[in-house]
Amino acid sequence: DAGVIQSPRHEVTEMGQEVTLRCKPISGHDYLFWYRQTMMRGLELLIYFNNNVPIDDSGMPEDRFSAKMPNASFSTLKIQPSEPRDSAVYFCASSGTGTYGYTFGSGTRLTVV
Amino acid sequence: AQSVTQLDSQVPVFEEAPVELRCNYSSSVSVYLFWYVQYPNQGLQLLLKYLSGSTLVKGINGFEAEFNKSQTSFHLRKPSVHISDTAEYFCAVSDVDTGRRALTFGSGTRLQVQP
């Protein structure tokens, strides 16, 4: 089991550019979560999916953020256009229906300059 | 709405000493409780969880936590810490009754183990 796989590990982009973060959950897990971690705000839930359907996107900061899960093995988080205040570590996590507690990926460190 | 309070942002401790990291939560419904550990430049790893049953929960790496419903606390303890325990520790809660699977995290406690 390779765990939750996120790519890229690091992303540096210029303000105004589009950024796409990718996540492959653990096979068989039917919940997928996107979190953002910053020094000021800690760990914030952005959105989560169940069986590829978005359940709660109330944490998505604004329309510049969008997330998709086209199938059970892949999800993307897109920021367009990016701003310096989006700089953070973005984590993806997955969980199975019968289990509680997530398995986290290693995160993507996003820097917007 | 739920909230989690980790009162100590940093806890320095000497190697082989005991440690307690405090966590208090607020919720209008029953909760599940979790502790996660984050090593530098890594994701979060589940240490232990309380779902039901015995209020004393044992986890990995020699850690344990006790659920106290009357005090709405879930403190993490280890009788003897190692240098390798230096990391950030997060307490988290999720609803039992609503079925909402999202976790609400505390702000974290940085454990610094000194030789």
Side-chain angles (χ1 to χ4, degrees):
Chain A
D1 184 355
V4 176
I5 300 173
Q6 291 187 248
S7 64
R9 285 299 308 274
H10 303 273
E11 177 80 37
V12 180
T13 191
E14 291 185 347
M15 182 174 62
Q17 296 298 305
E18 178 180 294
V19 176
T20 299
L21 312 182
R22 297 172 175 80
C23 175
K24 176 179 170 55
I26 289 174
S27 177
H29 280 188
D30 49 2
Y31 285 88
L32 185 139
F33 305 83
W34 283 99
Y35 277 82
R36 177 171 67 176
Q37 185 178 35
T38 61
M39 290 292 294
M40 293 299 295
R41 301 175 68 89
L43 279 156
E44 303 174 279
L45 175 70
L46 299 177
I47 186 171
Y48 81 93
F49 296 84
N50 180 216
N51 292 323
N52 314 335
V53 176
I55 302 300
D56 183 352
D57 65 354
S58 59
M60 296 287 265
E62 48 199 271
D63 292 344
R64 297 185 298 107
F65 285 69
S66 63
K68 294 182 180 179
M69 192 165 185
N71 57 62
S73 60
F74 184 65
S75 177
T76 59
L77 178 67
K78 186 176 294 186
I79 308 172
Q80 166 64 18
S82 57
E83 296 182 3
R85 60 191 168 120
D86 301 330
S87 297
V89 180
Y90 290 80
F91 286 106
C92 176
S94 70
S95 176
T97 296
T99 61
Y100 292 87
Y102 311 153
T103 300
F104 278 82
S106 298
T108 295
R109 182 174 296 277
L110 174 64
T111 304
V112 184
V113 298
Chain B
Q2 303 163 325
S3 65
V4 179
T5 302
Q6 293 183 246
L7 291 170
D8 305 305
S9 60
Q10 293 189 60
V11 173
V13 63
F14 288 107
E15 194 174 17
E16 297 184 7
V19 70
E20 178 180 84
L21 306 183
R22 296 181 293 169
C23 172
N24 288 88
Y25 68 92
S26 174
S27 177
S28 57
V29 299
S30 298
V31 296
Y32 296 133
L33 293 154
F34 307 82
W35 276 98
Y36 283 83
V37 59
Q38 184 179 30
Y39 299 102
N41 299 316
Q42 294 187 26
L44 282 74
Q45 180 183 1
L46 181 64
L47 270 180
L48 50 77
K49 59 188 175 186
Y50 171 79
L51 304 181
S52 64
S54 173
T55 57
L56 182 63
V57 180
K58 294 188 184 297
I60 62 171
N61 301 341
F63 283 93
E64 64 181 32
E66 186 157 19
F67 170 52
N68 188 318
K69 188 174 182 179
S70 62
Q71 298 187 4
T72 60
S73 68
F74 191 55
H75 301 330
L76 182 70
R77 303 186 184 99
K78 187 169 183 178
S80 175
V81 295
H82 303 287
I83 295 288
S84 59
D85 292 322
T86 295
E88 187 110 22
Y89 292 80
F90 293 92
C91 182
V93 300
S94 70
D95 283 345
V96 172
D97 300 326
T98 65
R100 187 171 184 273
R101 293 297 293 265
L103 293 181
T104 301
F105 285 88
S107 55
T109 298
R110 185 171 300 277
L111 176 63
Q112 299 167 311
V113 182
Q114 303 163 354

